[in-house]
């Protein structure tokens, strides 16, 4: 998808791939007993106005976030920067454990109604959920690719949720919507 010339086509491929992954992967967040009835994820249509290439502002006060989980113990994150988007600012975190990587969750004004209440994930490079770029040149930030964390589908999962610096005061009718 990163190499696709047309972001809308890449999004369509991502939606199909995500549906297949959630439906069939042994570690799917949808419990095994519910997978046969799984009709697919809900996604908003692609909106090209929600795609940006944004430099990471690294002039931020150092901050460590430690997220307790039921399966992985405490998962530490270090604040490494901030994305200044037309819709608002989002903190950029570095996962300071196992695989490392950039992590940007987002919670919008639709959280709890049209989008998952705890927020969704925009970038999670440890899981390959990024569209490219670099901290220096700018990250490809396409809000159409936000997706629900595993805990949105089954409370057996514990997920890092969007902290205060990752909340947008605007509705974000994009990406994966609240599960039905």
């Amino acid at each position: 998808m990163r190499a696709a010339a047309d972001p809308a086509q890449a999004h369509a491929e991502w939606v199909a791939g995500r549906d297949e992954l959630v439906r069939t992967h042994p570690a799917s967040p949808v419990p095994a007993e519910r997978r046969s009835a799984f009709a697919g994820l809900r996604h908003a249509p692609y909106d090209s106005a929600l795609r940006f290439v944004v430099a990471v502002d690294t002039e931020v006060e150092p901050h460590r976030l430690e997220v307790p989980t039921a399966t992985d113990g405490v998962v530490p994150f270090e604040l490494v920067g901030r994305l200044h988007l037309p819709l608002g600012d989002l903190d950029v975190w570095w996962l300071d454990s196992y695989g490392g990587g950039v992590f940007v969750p987002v919670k919008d004004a639709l959280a709890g109604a049209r989008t998952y209440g705890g927020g969704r994930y925009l970038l999670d490079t440890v899981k390959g959920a990024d569209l490219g770029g670099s901290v220096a040149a700018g990250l490809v930030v396409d809000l159409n690719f936000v997706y629900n964390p595993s805990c949105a589908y089954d409370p057996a999962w514990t997920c890092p949720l969007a902290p205060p610096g990752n909340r947008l005061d605007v509705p974000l009718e994009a990406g994966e919507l609240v599960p039905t």
Side-chain angles (χ1 to χ4, degrees), residues 86-104:
L87 304 175
D89 294 346
L90 294 173
D91 287 345
V92 178
W93 298 92
W94 179 260
L95 174 59
D96 197 26
S97 66
Y98 57 97
V102 174
F103 178 62
V104 181

Side-chain angles (χ1 to χ4, degrees), residues 17-31:
R18 185 119 167 95
D19 271 355
E20 181 66 17
L21 184 69
V22 171
R23 181 180 3 272
T24 64
H25 195 279
S28 169
V30 173

Side-chain angles (χ1 to χ4, degrees), residues 74-161:
V74 173
V75 178
F77 294 91
E78 297 288 340
L79 182 64
V80 295
R82 189 162 288 121
L83 299 172
H84 302 292
L85 303 174
L87 304 175
D89 294 346
L90 294 173
D91 287 345
V92 178
W93 298 92
W94 179 260
L95 174 59
D96 197 26
S97 66
Y98 57 97
V102 174
F103 178 62
V104 181
V106 60
K107 183 175 180 175
D108 68 290
L110 297 174
R114 300 263 311 137
T115 64
Y116 180 60
R120 297 173 287 169
Y121 295 170
L122 173 59
L123 298 173
D124 188 356
T125 61
V126 74
K127 295 180 182 164
D130 73 281
L131 296 172
S134 68
V135 171
L139 298 175
V140 177
V141 177
D142 192 330
L143 295 164
N144 293 286
F145 288 83
V146 293
Y147 65 97
N148 292 324
S150 298
C151 54
Y153 300 98
D154 185 352
W157 292 81
T158 304
C159 307
L161 302 178

